Structures are given as structure tokens and as C-alpha cells.
Amino acid sequence: MDPVTLIVAALVAGATSGVTDTVSQAVKDGYAGLKNVLAVKFAGNPKSEQALADYEADPDTYEKPLAKQLKETGADQDTEVLAAAEAVLKAAEQAGVKTKYHITVTGGKVGIIGDHGTVTFN
């Protein structure tokens, strides 16, 4: 899977989980952790910080600007960011969180089917 798609899928899963009280604490904690890791990665870069804030407010409109910032800052290649994103997706899958992405996490490998394709991140 494309690392940007992995991170965005994790943000979608975490944000989606915030609207229900039944979602596991692991999803909520993982989502908070991912946002914190991204905040540290984006620190001092107002454009990136704003892209993350805008995305949280309106994911449909700001997905592309956030994806651009993930690439420009190198967050899409940061092992800590990717590990945090994988943790969110794994917790979301176990909690049964439904998003536009089909999330499958097995043995630390993530596969997502969504938006016209199947990709695997090893």
C-alpha cells in the first residue's frame, strides 16, 4: 500500500471511531497517538500543521492537501508515523470500524481495498 494511503486510512478510521461510544479505547488511543506523531513531524511547518487541522475539520475537502504535506515533510516515509498508522488500522479492524476503506491487518501487514484498487504494504 502507498504509505500516504495508509496514513490517511488510519486518520479516517480514527476519526470515524470518534463518533461512537462503543469503539475500543485502543482505537481512540491509537488515533490520538497518530495525531501526536504527525504534530511532532509537522512542528514548525505552518502549512503542514494547517493541512492536518483542515483535514480533521473536513476530510473530503482536505485529503489531497494533507497527502501533499505528508509527502513534502517525509511523514509518509517516517517509521514512527507508519507504525502509528498501522496500530490505528489494526485496532479499528478489531473493533469493527467501517470506513470507505476495507481494512485488513495480519501479522503487521496491512492491506486496504478502496477507491478502485487493491494495494498491499509490506
Side-chain angles (χ1 to χ4, degrees):
M1 168 193 302
D2 168 42
V4 171
T5 304
L6 172 77
I7 297 165
V8 170
L11 289 168
V12 168
T16 302
S17 70
V19 299
T20 66
D21 292 334
T22 59
V23 172
S24 76
Q25 191 62 42
V27 176
K28 293 175 185 176
D29 291 346
Y31 178 59
L34 175 58
K35 288 193 320 183
N36 287 336
V37 169
L38 286 172
V40 168
K41 186 71 178 175
F42 289 169
N45 184 330
K47 198 176 213 180
S48 298
E49 292 171 334
Q50 189 62 51
L52 182 58
D54 289 342
Y55 178 80
E56 284 189 87
D58 186 356
D60 292 334
T61 301
Y62 293 102
E63 183 173 332
K64 286 183 181 180
L66 177 63
K68 182 178 179 182
Q69 291 306 309
L70 290 169
K71 289 178 185 177
E72 287 184 1
T73 61
D76 65 327
Q77 301 301 314
D78 186 284
T79 56
E80 190 175 7
V81 171
L82 295 173
E86 286 184 9
V88 172
L89 291 175
K90 186 172 184 177
E93 178 187 31
Q94 291 171 347
V97 173
K98 305 289 184 212
T99 69
K100 75 175 188 174
Y101 299 96
H102 171 72
I103 304 167
T104 304
V105 181
T106 307
K109 295 184 179 181
V110 178
I112 293 182
I113 301 171
D115 293 342
H116 313 291
T118 302
V119 286
T120 303
F121 180 82
N122 292 321

